[in-house]
Amino acid sequence: MAKRTQRNETEPSQALPRWQSKIVGYGDAPVDQIVANEKNWRIHPQTQMDALSGVLGDVGIVQNIVINRRTSEQWPPGDRGVETLVDGAARVLLALREGQATLPTTYVDLTPGEEAEVLATLDPLSAMAGADREHLAALLQEVQSGSSAVQQMLSELAVRE
């Protein structure tokens, strides 16, 4: 993470556009009513599902799923207002399998183009991050999981990164 630096007040100020928040609410979505996104291109191999299940069992939920409210007039009438999953498909699948009633949810309101951009870029952007091997090694020494799937994933991470 970058260290905070003080801005040199003698530098000319350049107006940067403000990031527009697309978040419109938070809540708990009933798992059995979550609509999968027809454009989701990600698949979740069993090894990933097992590791995720292990972490959820060890720690619990630490990140909301994301559902698009789809209220924009740009959505075709059959899709407009149909709340649709944008992020968290693996968590939803596990929640259904394990009988969880709800999942904590961040609700957003995206146009069709914005939703497509988020679906195409959210995971790949995270995957672009590099690894500080020294920090990773120190962190991995602190992790103790009762899940063999989590331990296997961490072992592979240590070798790969």
Side-chain angles (χ1 to χ4, degrees):
M1 194 178 285
K3 293 182 180 178
R4 290 182 186 221
T5 58
Q6 288 186 339
R7 186 171 157 236
N8 182 348
E9 294 299 327
T10 61
E11 294 176 11
S13 173
Q14 294 186 350
L16 297 175
R18 286 186 58 115
W19 293 342
Q20 182 181 7
S21 176
K22 294 295 186 162
I23 298 170
V24 295
Y26 300 92
D28 290 305
V31 174
D32 62 353
Q33 295 178 24
I34 295 172
V35 175
N37 197 304
E38 67 278 4
K39 293 182 181 176
N40 181 12
W41 60 279
R42 304 296 281 179
I43 57 172
H44 302 287
Q46 192 60 49
T47 54
Q48 179 194 26
M49 297 298 282
D50 292 345
L52 178 57
S53 180
V55 171
L56 289 169
D58 287 346
V59 179
I61 298 170
V62 298
Q63 185 172 353
N64 290 1
I65 63 168
V66 180
I67 292 178
N68 186 11
R69 291 231 159 116
R70 290 184 167 184
T71 65
S72 166
E73 294 293 319
Q74 294 179 27
W75 286 101
D79 292 332
R80 188 176 311 132
V82 178
E83 294 185 349
T84 305
L85 189 66
V86 175
D87 183 54
R91 285 169 279 159
V92 171
L93 291 171
L94 285 173
L96 284 166
R97 183 177 82 190
E98 299 189 15
Q100 297 291 319
T102 63
L103 283 172
T105 303
T106 299
Y107 291 96
V108 296
D109 202 1
L110 306 171
T111 66
E114 291 167 339
E115 183 181 280
E117 185 171 347
V118 169
L119 286 168
T121 62
L122 194 62
D123 289 340
L125 282 170
S126 293
M128 289 173 72
D132 180 317
R133 294 185 60 79
E134 195 174 297
H135 281 104
L136 175 60
L139 178 63
L140 292 177
Q141 289 182 0
E142 295 180 34
V143 179
Q144 296 184 10
S145 172
S147 166
S148 61
V150 172
Q151 290 300 105
Q152 179 66 33
M153 181 194 73
L154 295 175
S155 295
E156 291 170 9
L157 178 65
V159 172
R160 184 176 66 237
E161 298 294 334

